[in-house]
Amino acid sequence: MSDQAQRIARAWLMSASAGIIELDADWTGESLPLLAPGDKAFAFADLGPAALSVYADESGYYVDEVGMLVFVLDPMDHSWVDFSVMPVYVAGTFNGWQDAVGQLEWSMVPEQLNGRMVWLLRRPAGPLLTDPPQLFKFVTGDNRWLDLPRDATNLVPDGNGHFNRGIHPNRTGRNLFQFTTTAPVPLNQSYSVIHVRDGRQAPKTRLRLGRFFHAMRSDLPLGAFVQRNGSTFRLFAPRAKHVRLFLCEKLDAQPQAFGYELDRRDENGSWNGVWEAHLDRNLHGWYYWYSVSGPQDVFGNFKPGEKILDPYAQAAVGREGPGIVLDAAWVGQADRTFATPLWQDLVMVETHVRDLVAQAPIALSAEERLGFTGLIKWVESPDFYLKKLGVNAVELQPVHEFDNRTREEYQWGYMTANFFSPASGYAMDGGKASQVKEFQELVAAFHRQGIAVIIDVVYNHVGEPAHLLFIDKLYYFELDDDGALANWSGCGNDLRCRSAMATRLICDSLIHFIETYGVDGFRFDLAELIGVDVLREVEVAVKKVKPDVILIAEPWSFRGHIAAALRPTGYASWNDGYRDFVREYVRGGGAADKLEYFLKGSPWHFAYWPAQTVNYTESHDDRTWIDVITENQNFNGYHPTQNDRQRTHLMVAILFASVGIPLLAQGQDFLRSKYGVNNTYLRGDLNALDYHRPARFPATHTYFSDWIAFRRSYRGYLLRQWSRSSEGFFRCCVVSGGNGLVIIYNADGSQGRERLMFAINPHTDSTAIPIGEFADWTWELVADHECFYTNGRRPPGQIVTQNLFIPAVGCSLWRSER
């Protein structure tokens, strides 16, 4: 490529006094390119070619001085992989992708590079430098594809929302130049560089702040604190020029608020981005907000006139704030004596605060039916729906402050405005921080009923207004080189969770909800966007406070899926493959061996340990179960057919016979329908639970409840596995050409004398499955597709023979002792 055609691809600072300029092709000129600062704000002290290996930090490869293409993997970017025991390979278009796994010639080895230990593979460059470019990724010996850096310049989309790396023949590491500055540059200004060609100045290229900037962190407590000698306010704003605090005692006095300048707070002789103000009075109950000014460029969204809600505010009046100053003594601590259930014992229901209480059949005011206080009274009622159903955990849809405009406005809550305040829209008096006490009491009420509380948390993006965007867009959000927001969440922005203080914000928020409210666990929305490495940091942090905390990931986003990468961690994952398969299977599709895999707990490929798979068939997203599988037109299952009901019974039997954590959706036990509507994010009228519906379908509601009771009882212990069972624990029987299945639990007797046998047939014709030696055992019928049986009663004809009879769209559960 000629000098005239070359341009600057990107430029960034590696520290406050050194940076890199990357050209879009290798430089072949005899002298250095004419690269220079684009502003008078700084000057180069030195400029020269960067070490070839520096390019590998961005691209994953470089070509060395002897013509070898060197693939480079930094293990620090993939802390969830144990590289001491796990081999890693280079796989791509040049070696058959997956075929490279296990091939010594494509295996990487540890080696020192620029003072750090990395994994390398050297191959002759010639065959790999082609046009179009060869594509590659790194993959572990157990077939886990390693994530790519989001800001790499050689990412190539595959057309399906995924990316590979490209080996560009004209980018080999000779396209990078390193410079130093005459003095450290302040972070609160904008900078650019230029490339002068033929005496003509090319357009300026913005100089980004690199990894050192996103690694900035402080250990100082943040937020608003009431102390003996007054009140202290701290905010992390690393590129701010000025930070101003506004305070008022009354909500209606905001126009007359007092303003105070915050000062930079040094730590150990240096400044780490924290601003602080201290006032000599107790400001408990006062209202406050910030304004922040900073550089006006595409990487900043500094608007000094914008009222910014403190990201660490423990209570907020609404989505725009203001925050409320709270004395820690008033907030108090949660009673944490409740024993969180063991993971393998969990039976969970996903639910929504307002959906649960809106039509609760108890005396409540209209105000109480909007949130926490009404739900407390419903939970404490002897007729409380979830207590009678028999579950021992609720997974509440988001309860953080979200971006509803009024208290009455209904939404699911996935557009978070603050990560420390419970939702003011669910409070009786959000302006007085009643949400703090109300949510504390709600968690305690659930605990008194023996029900653990898991809350859905949304750290992958933020709602409106995006307060963090006004504090520092570059630090807190994923951006491209032009400053545009990434949007793999589908919600307008992606939080840069890997920035050090964003990770700390997540950890501090979770710990706050454990210590202040006593919650038992968390479900992480679109966890793929948070990233495996951040999730591991989060796990370590929260388990120091609560070792038995329940951690669940929704392991995907519009960009990818990380369930396989989470297998070595302490997270369970929502199993979308399970959901899709069961929906198909009960309608006669799907193979028996796939059902066997899911009944065994999705071992190894999805889950390393049994409770790592969260098995579900319906969630808040999309249509309800009955609307998906109904025989009716337009996905409207409000009036289900007999087959709809029977297939639902098959579904719940599969769900509770499967190893893993079973998760129901609210109202699934009484065939809740949303009339076929797919997206009900704002439809409180459709989402509210109709408590008359269990009376319409009492047998189905009872069938769910009986399965829950059986699974949680001693008799169901074989379904609640914590560690992987012995090789002979499961035995399966099938019939050729069909997808019916009989599975025996504890067939080898490795877990005592008790055995269970589960048989299922999704077809509209009856079947009989040979069960061999198991026909000689003495079996007691526990349940079929209609109901559970007690005291030895059973329907006529239900006996175990060599060919076990299973009626059409039917199932049965048997118990034996040998």
Side-chain angles (χ1 to χ4, degrees):
M1 183 178 288
S2 68
D3 177 16
Q4 286 74 21
Q6 281 178 289
R7 64 180 182 83
I8 297 175
R10 67 182 351 173
W12 66 94
L13 285 170
M14 298 188 298
S15 69
S17 56
I20 294 288
I21 299 173
E22 179 179 343
L23 301 181
D24 64 353
D26 289 344
W27 179 257
T28 57
E30 295 182 0
S31 58
L32 291 174
L34 294 176
L35 303 171
D39 312 278
K40 295 181 179 179
F42 75 113
F44 288 169
D46 188 23
L47 175 70
L52 295 175
S53 58
V54 172
Y55 185 54
D57 290 341
E58 300 298 311
S59 66
Y61 76 94
Y62 70 97
V63 177
D64 67 14
E65 295 84 350
V66 297
M68 300 295 285
L69 194 143
V70 185
F71 294 100
V72 182
L73 171 65
D74 189 343
M76 296 303 293
D77 292 335
H78 308 280
S79 63
W80 50 274
V81 178
D82 185 356
F83 288 96
S84 65
V85 297
M86 180 59 65
V88 62
Y89 301 89
V90 177
T93 51
F94 43 82
N95 62 7
W97 290 105
Q98 194 78 38
D99 294 341
V101 176
Q103 300 298 317
L104 186 61
E105 63 178 316
W106 297 107
S107 177
M108 305 184 78
V109 295
E111 192 173 315
Q112 287 284 332
L113 182 68
N114 298 332
R116 72 187 196 276
M117 185 63 71
V118 298
W119 287 74
L120 300 180
L121 173 65
R122 292 180 172 85
R123 303 291 296 174
L128 297 171
L129 300 179
T130 63
D131 189 15
Q134 299 283 349
L135 306 178
F136 76 99
K137 272 185 175 178
F138 301 119
V139 60
T140 62
D142 60 349
N143 300 297
R144 287 178 285 168
W145 296 93
L146 301 186
D147 295 335
L148 303 179
R150 305 176 192 190
D151 48 5
T153 55
N154 64 328
L155 298 184
V156 179
D158 67 359
N160 297 313
H162 305 113
F163 291 86
N164 300 303
R165 293 182 186 267
I167 303 174
H168 296 279
N170 59 354
R171 293 187 226 164
T172 65
R174 292 153 183 84
N175 56 328
L176 264 60
F177 294 85
Q178 185 167 340
F179 65 84
T180 58
T181 61
T182 55
V185 297
L187 301 184
N188 60 4
Q189 297 184 40
S190 300
Y191 306 98
S192 63
V193 292
I194 57 173
H195 185 188
V196 179
R197 302 181 307 227
D198 295 333
R200 291 177 290 116
Q201 177 181 317
K204 294 180 180 181
T205 298
R206 301 177 188 92
L207 190 59
R208 290 190 65 163
L209 300 179
R211 293 184 181 183
F212 83 99
F213 171 67
H214 295 285
M216 285 185 66
R217 66 164 288 135
S218 169
D219 293 322
L220 289 171
L222 300 177
F225 310 93
V226 177
Q227 301 153 315
R228 283 186 179 181
N229 62 343
S231 301
T232 299
F233 300 82
R234 291 198 192 108
L235 180 73
F236 178 78
R239 289 202 305 149
K241 293 182 178 180
H242 301 282
V243 177
R244 192 167 176 82
L245 166 70
F246 293 88
L247 282 161
C248 60
E249 189 172 9
K250 304 291 184 184
L251 262 180
D252 57 6
Q254 292 182 60
Q256 294 81 42
F258 301 100
Y260 302 89
E261 293 291 332
L262 274 70
D263 298 317
R264 293 185 175 205
R265 166 65 188 270
D266 286 348
E267 298 175 67
N268 301 318
S270 63
W271 183 66
N272 293 327
V274 173
W275 298 75
E276 179 181 284
H278 180 80
L279 302 176
D280 295 329
R281 65 177 297 179
N282 185 324
L283 295 172
H284 173 73
W286 281 53
Y287 304 96
Y288 75 107
W289 64 93
Y290 295 111
S291 71
V292 178
S293 64
Q296 299 298 311
D297 58 25
V298 297
F299 300 127
N301 199 44
F302 296 100
K303 297 180 179 180
E306 188 75 28
K307 295 172 66 173
I308 299 172
L309 175 62
D310 181 2
Y312 275 75
Q314 294 192 39
V317 175
R319 70 177 202 164
E320 296 178 354
I324 306 174
V325 181
L326 296 179
D327 189 333
W330 180 86
V331 172
Q333 295 281 294
D335 178 359
R336 294 171 56 192
T337 57
F338 176 75
T340 301
L342 300 175
W343 289 37
Q344 68 270 28
D345 294 338
L346 287 168
V347 176
M348 304 193 304
V349 167
E350 185 199 32
T351 190
H352 182 279
V353 168
R354 197 167 286 180
D355 295 349
L356 264 182
V357 71
Q359 297 182 22
I362 59 172
L364 295 172
S365 69
E367 289 281 297
E368 290 174 327
R369 291 186 184 276
L370 293 178
F372 295 140
T373 291
L375 184 52
I376 292 167
K377 293 181 177 180
W378 180 214
V379 171
E380 292 176 334
S381 165
D383 294 321
F384 179 48
Y385 154 58
L386 295 181
K387 177 68 173 178
K388 298 184 80 169
L389 183 61
V391 301
N392 62 0
V394 291
E395 187 179 287
L396 291 176
Q397 289 181 253
V399 294
H400 286 151
E401 185 70 38
F402 52 87
D403 67 355
N404 54 319
R405 288 179 170 81
T406 66
R407 183 172 181 233
E408 293 73 25
E409 179 187 312
Y410 176 95
Q411 60 162 279
W412 280 341
Y414 289 89
M415 298 290 281
T416 310
N418 176 277
F419 296 119
F420 286 78
S421 171
S424 60
Y426 293 154
M428 295 296 287
D429 192 355
K432 297 295 185 182
S434 73
Q435 58 267 42
V436 172
K437 296 300 185 181
E438 289 178 64
F439 190 62
Q440 284 175 332
E441 181 53 31
L442 176 61
V443 174
F446 273 115
H447 285 172
R448 287 191 292 270
Q449 296 287 10
I451 299 175
V453 176
I454 300 157
I455 60 173
D456 203 337
V457 289
V458 186
Y459 296 112
N460 61 84
H461 70 277
V462 296
E464 297 178 357
H467 296 285
L468 291 173
L469 200 68
F470 305 120
I471 295 173
D472 201 317
K473 175 184 174 183
L474 179 61
Y475 189 90
Y476 281 112
F477 292 88
E478 299 286 357
L479 310 175
D480 66 15
D481 287 337
D482 295 320
L485 293 163
N487 187 27
W488 290 107
S489 67
C491 298
N493 63 80
D494 297 340
L495 201 63
R496 186 185 172 106
C497 300
R498 56 201 170 114
S499 291
M501 290 299 281
T503 302
R504 183 188 154 185
L505 175 67
I506 294 170
C507 294
D508 289 350
S509 163
L510 297 170
I511 291 170
H512 177 70
F513 269 79
I514 291 171
E515 294 182 334
T516 304
Y517 300 102
V519 301
D520 300 279
F522 307 93
R523 179 263 192 190
F524 294 82
D525 181 70
L526 297 183
E528 191 275 337
L529 293 176
I530 299 173
V532 178
D533 287 335
V534 173
L535 289 169
R536 286 180 69 94
E537 285 189 55
V538 167
E539 179 185 353
V540 170
V542 297
K543 284 187 174 179
K544 289 179 181 178
V545 177
K546 182 175 173 59
D548 61 349
V549 64
I550 298 164
L551 299 174
I552 298 170
E554 182 185 38
W556 58 78
S557 73
F558 288 109
R559 187 182 61 190
H561 206 294
I562 60 169
L566 287 174
R567 289 177 299 180
T569 73
Y571 288 83
S573 290
W574 273 28
N575 195 333
D576 52 330
Y578 184 100
R579 173 200 65 203
D580 296 341
F581 173 80
V582 175
R583 289 175 177 178
E584 178 186 8
Y585 182 80
V586 299
R587 290 179 285 180
D593 60 347
K594 195 72 175 286
L595 176 62
E596 176 184 347
Y597 170 76
F598 286 123
L599 286 170
K600 290 180 176 179
S602 304
W604 307 120
H605 174 71
F606 190 91
Y608 275 176
W609 34 282
Q612 197 167 31
T613 171
V614 176
N615 302 322
Y616 75 107
T617 59
E618 178 191 329
S619 70
H620 61 277
D621 280 325
D622 306 320
R623 297 184 175 93
T624 64
W625 160 266
I626 199 64
D627 288 346
V628 169
I629 63 103
T630 185
E631 296 175 316
N632 297 333
Q633 295 294 310
N634 302 317
F635 299 101
N636 187 346
Y638 186 78
H639 296 290
T641 69
Q642 178 59 33
N643 278 340
D644 293 344
R645 290 184 61 249
Q646 203 152 330
R647 286 166 177 153
T648 299
H649 285 210
L650 291 195
M651 175 275 293
V652 74
I654 294 171
L655 182 68
F656 286 108
S658 298
V659 171
I661 299 175
L663 171 68
L664 295 171
Q666 58 180 10
Q668 197 171 6
D669 55 293
F670 48 74
L671 305 174
R672 172 176 173 250
S673 169
K674 296 190 288 189
Y675 301 93
V677 178
N678 191 52
N679 183 355
T680 59
Y681 189 91
L682 303 175
R683 295 293 302 274
D685 58 323
L686 291 181
N687 293 332
L689 295 184
D690 176 4
Y691 290 109
H692 294 300
R693 200 162 171 87
R696 290 186 57 202
F697 305 105
T700 297
H701 171 74
T702 300
Y703 191 66
F704 274 68
S705 183
D706 286 347
W707 261 109
I708 293 170
F710 177 81
R711 184 180 172 106
R712 292 188 59 194
S713 72
Y714 171 76
R715 295 196 305 164
Y717 80 93
L718 293 175
L719 305 175
R720 306 191 309 270
Q721 299 289 308
W722 171 247
S723 58
R724 284 287 168 221
S725 52
S726 62
E727 194 67 29
F729 180 85
F730 295 102
R731 289 278 298 277
C732 289
C733 306
V734 297
V735 63
S736 177
N739 60 358
L741 176 78
V742 175
I743 184 170
I744 313 296
Y745 303 79
N746 196 29
D748 61 0
S750 59
Q751 296 189 26
R753 297 179 58 192
E754 186 99 3
R755 271 83 164 177
L756 292 176
M757 179 169 64
F758 177 63
I760 187 165
N761 171 29
H763 286 292
T764 52
D765 294 319
S766 299
T767 190
I769 297 179
I771 61 173
E773 64 187 274
F774 303 114
D776 298 329
W777 298 6
T778 301
W779 293 97
E780 169 200 353
L781 181 65
V782 177
D784 60 16
H785 49 274
E786 291 290 347
C787 63
F788 274 68
Y789 297 95
T790 57
N791 302 321
R793 68 184 182 91
R794 66 185 184 197
Q798 278 283 47
I799 58 174
V800 173
T801 63
Q802 285 290 332
N803 294 301
L804 184 64
F805 173 78
I806 316 173
V809 195
C811 66
S812 56
L813 177 68
W814 304 78
R815 176 177 174 270
S816 177
E817 289 189 14
R818 281 179 61 84

